[in-house]
Amino acid sequence: MTQYLFRRLISIPLLLLGVATVAFFLSHFTQADPLSALVSERQMNNPEVVAAAKQRWGLDRSLPEQYLIYIQNLVSGDMGVSFRTRRPVLTDIAERLPATLELVIFAMLFGTISGVALGVLASRFQNRLLDYFARLVALFGSTVPVFWSGLLLLYLFTVKFSWIPGPGRLDPRADPPPFMTGLLTIDSLAAGQFDTFLNALHHLVLPSFVLGWSVTGIIARLVRASMLDALGQDYILAARAKGAGEARTLFRHALPNAMIPTLTIIGYSFAYLITGAVLTEAVFGWPGIGSYAVDSARTLDYPAIIGVSLIGASAFLLANLITDIAYAYANPRIRLE
Amino acid sequence: MSIVVGARAHWMKNLTLRPALVAGLLIVGFWIVVALTIDVWTVYDPLKIVARKLQAPSLQHWLGTDALGRDVMTRTLYGVRYSLSISFVVVVCSVVIGSLVGALAGFFGGWTDSVLMRLVDVTLAFPPVLLAMAVAASLGPGLQNAAIAVIVVWWPVYARLMRGQVLDVISRDHIEAARAGGASSFRLLTKHILPLSWTPTIISATMDFGQVVLLAASLSFIGLGAQPPAPEWGAMISDGASHFYSWWIAFGPGMAILMLGLGFNFIGDALRDILDPREH
Amino acid sequence: MAETAPLLEARDLRVTLRNGLEIVRGVTFTAEAGKVLGIVGESGSGKSITMRAVMGLSPPGAVISGSIKLRGEELVRAPERRMRALRGSKIGMIFQDPMTALNPVITVGKLIAEAVRLHNPGMSASTARQRAVELLDLVAVPQPEIRVNQYVHEFSGGMRQRAMIAMAVANNPEVLIADEPTTALDVTVQAQILDVLKSLQDRFSMGLVLITHDLGIVAGAADDVIVMYAGKIMESGSVRDIFYRTRHPYTRGLLSCLPTIAGEQSRLEPIPGSPPLLSARPEGCPFHPRCPMARDACRTEEPVLRPVDNVLTACHFAEDLRDGGAGRVTAEAERA
């Protein structure tokens, strides 16, 4: 297991280098002068700014040299300056990361729980009405555009029913908790601001439902298949033969086995969550990286867009690594090797 | 003759036993017919202002009117042309590029394989929408560039699939026999390996149609795809988002994306059952 | 009354699968406490399905008719609650391949402890764990304190089957059903596992039902034998009678598959052909297509089980087998 994880660990910096290379080419293939990706239009006429940028990013040098400088800058955390906010991209991202993290965590929780529940239900009632129903619900989740379902549900629940507060992470009147992790639910609890906690939770419900539902189907599908596989094994018969009841057989004996392959898909579905988060945030006015990316894309703020995709790719790679570790750990055969 | 009849009976059986396949074919068929014939029977012009703006659905305007007073129903129906053509182009190009890369990597192995597959790994390391956004933004807004962006995101999936298939097929005995018989690499690849490697690609491509429609619409929603006044679904939903209280502007195009996605999924699922019984 | 009733008794047991095929067709047998009942048959003979019916673990949709009584208590159509209480406490079961029958993500100790606690709800986890150690020790697994914390893949084949046995006898069942307990094992390990089973059976005077396709195993271990074919009993009787005075050509065919003890070039003659498919069972005697003695009557009329000499047999021409070298001394028979 250690050997396997070691190989994975080594591959990550290499993949990151590849990702950075792609980012370098993207920033050079912008339709305009690469300089336009670094200096905003208004400052193009300011020779000092232009010269400084050229020097810092080595734009007067050869392409390989530029590449090296680009990588160097990235390593030192310099992703350039956003045209729109006029601030370093990394600062912008760091500030908005907790909001996205909180949304993605809640969505992941919802997606995983609902996916596992639907998958187990579908496998237990294979080819019966409940199975078809569970599969349809799951399929809807992965087919429905989140920027559409989010919009309509937000309209329905805020305007029509007034069950859910409007966009954003907190009501304007709510008291934001002192910064600790940046996750409002945790920070407010830590600060003992229970009202703020409830308010943050209230704001999270709809976006994390909309986003989480998009991965419900992926997870449910695999849970169903793995559960069917597990339920056909002899150890299920053996469990029944020693007097285990229905629920025990299902949850104690079949589910842990079915969860092993499912773990890999949970990591994989993280890519969907990031993708979905971009659009969900845009709809819900969620002040995270996703809405930052969308706003940047709309204004063709190249450094910001490329910065976000770099961060997104790193997060995705990290998620995959965690998945691999979890997978190895959950499977005694691999864990003990 | 009897074989033909038998084959037809087989297909009929498949159809009657698979309500999902029938539903999928009906949905996709409906939208194809709409795309081909809408010019003939449309009541309104999708680009013309035909009524007061922001009207709720009524008998005259089933899905209401948008912020300029255009008929949302008409625009939704016209929108299928963008979605179907972009997803068709994207899927075909991705399949061709991806399969070629995957086949070469699997067939030649060694360095070719390493280099090509690392390229695949790196591309797949990006969350799809972010890479598509970055590419589309770099190329500049527009439907064509959005299509290119989606292809950039999508081809590696088929490369992996095809490589796996080729490796699987190549290890079978009759390929060894053909190789021993002196067949050239190219001949082996085109005559013996590729024909046996298509099934999973076709299944996957059918399922992906819906996802491609979704991704392309997402780019348009963000503002990187089709530009106004084009009646593209993602762009229309974006319109709806800026007129939050007029829910009907976004309703139609979203339903359309959902329908097409479900349709392609139903067909792909049934195809997998029929073509690849191993999976079950 | 309960004490005089036989331990396990099946009467005219029939199992019909969901697809309408009758896979067990009127099986009657009795298993007694302290004795070993061997059920022999090729795969597809219905022997495993019969025992799953006894456990109340028939495949989904299967229809059971006839009667199964445990100490006089009817099990067919008994409520699931009751069956669950009986399974693992009064009736234990061992499966063919312990690698697949022991859950790979739960330690062996926890699996055994679970069997204990399921029928002793008040018992603490640590007591149950202690009991698991004792049980592993009972089935002669070395270093049971270490073994309880291991997973099935860390066990060797023989140890796995011992663990499986420990799990099945955790609550001292009255009946232990062993479904091909040695098939997945090496020959040397087979004998050890049979010894473990025999000694447990003696010690707790359980009724042991030993399902196998190998007459050799039955010869060494069983008191009574049932030979099944195509969902029916072909022949039944005491192990000596079946081995020395069989009155059925199928049993005789099985016997001639066994290697003999003396250096004599063994007549390993497999029965030609293979058992009929469920869906294409022949008219008349199900064995006639493979039977060297088949005559016209065999092709039209299905024989019923009837007493012939000391055995019950289902052959129209059982009497013809009286002489003609039916009895053969085999290694295992000798040992018995």
Side-chain angles (χ1 to χ4, degrees):
Chain A
M1 170 181 168
T2 36
Q3 201 190 353
Y4 169 72
L5 287 181
F6 186 66
R7 265 209 314 268
R8 288 294 320 227
L9 268 177
I10 291 188
S11 76
I12 283 186
L14 291 177
L15 276 172
L16 277 177
L17 184 67
V19 164
T21 309
V22 172
F24 172 76
F25 279 111
L26 281 179
S27 59
H28 271 75
F29 281 129
T30 51
Q31 22 162 216
D33 176 3
L35 198 61
S36 72
L38 300 167
V39 180
S40 66
E41 235 170 287
R42 272 185 229 157
Q43 298 196 296
M44 276 299 215
N45 297 326
N46 183 341
E48 269 174 56
V49 173
V50 169
K54 271 190 175 167
Q55 216 252 320
R56 192 156 66 91
W57 292 88
L59 292 184
D60 37 8
R61 317 247 191 112
S62 68
L63 204 64
E65 277 176 307
Q66 284 186 38
Y67 175 70
L68 282 180
I69 292 168
Y70 184 82
I71 299 291
Q72 255 172 13
N73 285 344
L74 274 187
V75 169
S76 59
D78 188 349
M79 292 178 159
V81 174
S82 157
F83 304 163
R84 203 163 46 86
T85 65
R86 309 262 173 84
R87 303 194 321 164
V89 170
L90 198 65
T91 315
D92 274 348
I93 291 178
E95 195 179 284
R96 290 161 162 270
L97 188 65
T100 301
L101 209 59
E102 191 164 40
L103 174 61
V104 167
I105 289 172
F106 274 81
M108 191 94 201
L109 278 177
F110 174 76
T112 307
I113 293 171
S114 61
V116 170
L118 282 178
V120 169
L121 211 63
S123 70
R124 173 62 187 74
F125 298 96
Q126 190 193 1
N127 293 334
R128 308 244 290 272
L129 205 61
L130 214 54
D131 181 17
Y132 292 120
F133 175 73
R135 284 157 74 182
L136 204 63
V137 167
L139 181 61
F140 259 76
S142 46
T143 316
V144 81
V146 291
F147 50 91
W148 175 72
S149 56
L151 197 64
L152 292 189
L153 289 175
L154 193 63
Y155 174 78
L156 205 61
F157 287 115
T158 56
V159 178
K160 282 276 160 193
F161 301 139
S162 316
W163 287 349
I164 297 273
R169 295 175 80 194
L170 278 180
D171 287 351
R173 57 165 179 78
D175 197 9
F179 183 90
M180 272 176 59
T181 57
L183 307 186
L184 293 181
T185 45
I186 292 180
D187 288 358
S188 59
L189 272 188
Q193 297 171 321
F194 200 65
D195 285 350
T196 311
F197 170 74
L198 283 182
N199 191 246
L201 215 55
H202 207 173
H203 277 267
L204 269 166
V205 171
L206 200 55
S208 46
F209 165 75
V210 166
L211 181 54
W213 193 20
S214 67
V215 296
T216 299
I218 309 169
I219 294 171
R221 198 187 183 103
L222 195 78
V223 169
R224 177 179 180 273
S226 330
M227 278 296 283
L228 286 177
D229 183 48
L231 286 173
Q233 299 289 326
D234 277 357
Y235 55 76
I236 295 301
L237 208 54
R240 288 189 211 272
K242 60 185 173 183
E246 183 77 15
R248 194 175 183 83
T249 315
L250 218 55
F251 293 107
R252 172 81 176 118
H253 289 270
L255 189 57
N257 281 286
M259 280 312 283
I260 292 175
T262 307
L263 277 177
T264 54
I265 208 81
I266 290 177
Y268 171 74
S269 65
F270 192 73
Y272 274 79
L273 279 183
I274 296 177
T275 295
V278 170
L279 300 158
T280 310
E281 287 187 4
V283 170
F284 283 89
W286 199 260
I289 301 177
S291 54
Y292 179 68
V294 170
D295 291 343
S296 307
R298 284 186 173 145
T299 51
L300 299 183
D301 185 351
Y302 302 113
I305 301 169
I306 292 168
V308 171
S309 41
L310 270 172
I311 295 290
S314 318
F316 186 31
L317 287 174
L318 189 70
N320 276 339
L321 182 73
I322 294 173
T323 307
D324 279 350
I325 294 172
Y327 178 78
Y329 188 78
N331 192 341
R333 291 200 85 145
I334 302 179
R335 189 200 327 156
L336 297 171
E337 252 163 37
Chain B
M1 183 58 203
S2 67
I3 294 169
V4 174
V5 173
R8 187 181 300 159
H10 181 66
W11 273 102
M12 292 295 282
K13 199 176 131 210
N14 271 330
L15 278 181
T16 48
L17 281 179
R18 295 173 199 279
L21 176 63
V22 175
L25 289 173
L26 282 178
I27 292 172
V28 174
F30 165 77
W31 281 112
I32 291 177
V33 170
V34 167
L36 293 177
T37 64
I38 175 106
D39 282 333
V40 180
W41 50 266
T42 183
V43 180
Y44 301 108
D45 185 313
L47 302 178
K48 291 253 170 66
I49 293 168
V50 294
R52 251 181 331 114
K53 63 181 186 174
L54 298 179
Q55 277 188 61
S58 64
L59 279 176
Q60 284 77 43
H61 304 284
W62 292 0
L63 291 177
T65 60
D66 69 7
L68 296 177
R70 295 171 297 195
D71 182 67
V72 176
M73 179 80 175
T74 308
R75 287 173 63 76
T76 303
L77 291 175
Y78 266 96
V80 74
R81 291 188 166 175
Y82 294 90
S83 291
L84 277 185
S85 53
I86 199 175
S87 57
F88 184 76
V89 168
V90 165
V91 169
V92 167
C93 291
S94 303
V95 164
V96 169
I97 297 171
S99 300
L100 199 69
V101 169
L104 291 175
F107 187 76
F108 290 106
W111 269 105
T112 322
D113 187 23
S114 297
V115 170
L116 291 176
M117 282 302 121
R118 290 304 82 73
L119 193 63
V120 166
D121 288 345
V122 167
T123 316
L124 287 176
F126 286 93
V129 111
L130 288 182
L131 182 58
M133 275 169 70
V135 174
S138 297
L139 297 173
L143 200 60
Q144 230 176 27
N145 290 341
I148 296 174
V150 182
I151 293 171
V152 167
V153 172
W154 223 270
W155 70 271
V157 176
Y158 300 109
R160 272 205 180 156
L161 203 63
M162 183 52 92
R163 175 174 175 272
Q165 280 296 303
V166 167
L167 285 181
D168 181 42
V169 171
I170 226 171
S171 62
R172 293 186 205 162
D173 285 346
H174 70 276
I175 302 296
E176 287 297 317
R179 202 193 282 272
S184 74
S185 294
F186 182 75
R187 202 185 150 70
L188 264 176
L189 197 60
T190 53
K191 293 276 175 203
H192 293 270
I193 296 177
L194 290 185
L196 287 169
S197 313
W198 276 119
T199 311
T201 305
I202 288 172
I203 295 167
S204 170
T206 314
M207 303 274 253
D208 283 352
F209 259 100
Q211 294 295 316
V212 168
V213 168
L214 191 57
L215 188 55
S218 306
L219 287 180
S220 294
F221 173 76
I222 292 166
L224 291 173
Q227 298 299 306
E232 199 277 344
W233 292 339
M236 288 171 73
I237 296 175
S238 177
D239 257 6
S242 39
H243 297 87
F244 183 65
Y245 291 89
S246 309
W247 56 270
W248 54 86
I249 301 178
F251 181 78
M255 279 305 271
I257 297 175
L258 181 61
M259 268 177 81
L260 259 190
L262 289 178
F264 282 121
N265 231 300
F266 287 153
I267 298 177
D269 241 5
L271 268 186
R272 177 164 55 199
D273 283 354
I274 296 167
L275 295 178
D276 200 4
R278 279 177 307 171
E279 297 257 316
H280 287 264
Chain C
M1 165 72 202
E3 273 309 301
T4 53
L7 178 55
L8 181 67
E9 190 181 23
R11 289 270 161 267
D12 194 33
L13 182 65
R14 290 168 189 275
V15 181
T16 308
L17 297 182
R18 182 157 47 184
N19 56 17
L21 296 172
E22 199 180 28
I23 189 165
V24 176
R25 304 184 294 154
V27 167
T28 297
F29 64 85
T30 306
E32 286 166 51
K35 289 205 168 170
V36 180
L37 172 66
I39 300 189
V40 183
E42 291 167 277
S43 59
S45 61
K47 55 193 194 307
S48 295
I49 292 287
T50 304
M51 285 307 138
R52 282 181 62 174
V54 170
M55 296 290 291
L57 293 176
S58 298
V63 178
I64 321 287
S65 71
S67 155
I68 303 166
K69 283 185 177 162
L70 179 73
R71 289 263 181 242
E73 180 184 356
E74 180 60 56
L75 300 188
V76 173
R77 276 182 290 281
E80 173 62 20
R81 267 180 83 88
R82 180 64 188 146
M83 287 310 295
R84 206 186 301 158
L86 290 176
R87 274 182 225 133
S89 69
K90 298 274 186 256
I91 320 172
M93 186 157 183
I94 296 166
F95 296 86
Q96 171 169 347
D97 185 356
M99 183 65 205
T100 59
L102 292 170
N103 199 317
V105 300
I106 305 176
T107 60
V108 169
K110 285 203 175 129
L111 284 171
I112 300 173
E114 182 188 28
V116 177
R117 288 183 82 189
L118 275 169
H119 299 283
N120 301 281
M123 188 185 280
S124 74
S126 59
T127 317
R129 184 183 176 282
Q130 197 45 46
R131 179 89 180 104
V133 175
E134 289 165 26
L135 282 162
L136 282 177
D137 194 46
L138 183 71
V139 295
V141 168
Q143 295 180 294
E145 300 84 4
I146 296 171
R147 289 297 193 163
V148 280
N149 295 324
Q150 293 186 337
Y151 292 90
V152 58
H153 73 268
E154 298 172 86
F155 277 53
S156 67
M159 289 302 144
R160 277 174 202 151
Q161 195 55 289
R162 283 168 201 262
M164 183 84 222
I165 294 170
M167 193 165 91
V169 301
N171 299 298
N172 301 334
E174 293 187 55
V175 185
L176 180 61
I177 298 172
D179 189 354
E180 303 263 9
T182 59
T183 307
L185 304 173
D186 292 342
V187 184
T188 47
V189 183
Q190 283 188 5
Q192 293 169 8
I193 294 298
L194 284 175
D195 284 347
V196 171
L197 282 175
K198 278 293 278 181
S199 74
L200 284 173
Q201 184 242 337
D202 279 349
R203 189 157 158 187
F204 300 112
S205 81
M206 287 184 297
L208 177 62
V209 179
L210 188 61
I211 304 172
T212 176
H213 64 276
D214 185 351
L215 258 183
I217 285 169
V218 162
D223 298 296
D224 296 301
V225 179
I226 292 172
V227 178
M228 284 187 69
Y229 189 81
K232 282 204 155 184
I233 294 179
M234 293 286 109
E235 191 169 33
S236 70
S238 74
V239 70
R240 292 193 80 79
D241 289 330
I242 292 289
F243 270 80
Y244 294 104
R245 284 173 287 279
T246 174
R247 294 293 177 265
H248 200 287
Y250 178 58
T251 313
R252 197 160 70 148
L254 289 176
L255 284 169
S256 61
C257 295
L258 291 175
T260 54
I261 186 171
E264 162 198 358
Q265 199 59 17
S266 54
R267 294 180 4 209
L268 285 174
E269 291 165 24
I271 308 170
S274 51
L277 295 173
L278 277 181
S279 50
R281 210 175 273 138
E283 288 268 309
C285 174
F287 184 57
H288 85 255
R290 303 169 72 189
C291 183
M293 296 168 45
R295 290 173 229 176
D296 284 348
C298 303
R299 289 181 192 98
T300 54
E301 203 179 320
E302 189 156 11
V304 290
L305 206 58
R306 64 196 171 101
V308 176
D309 300 330
N310 296 331
V311 298
L312 290 172
T313 192
C315 177
H316 293 306
F317 305 102
E319 284 78 3
D320 296 359
L321 280 166
R322 272 197 188 120
D323 310 300
R328 286 174 35 76
V329 182
T330 69
E332 288 79 6
E334 187 99 301
R335 219 176 54 182

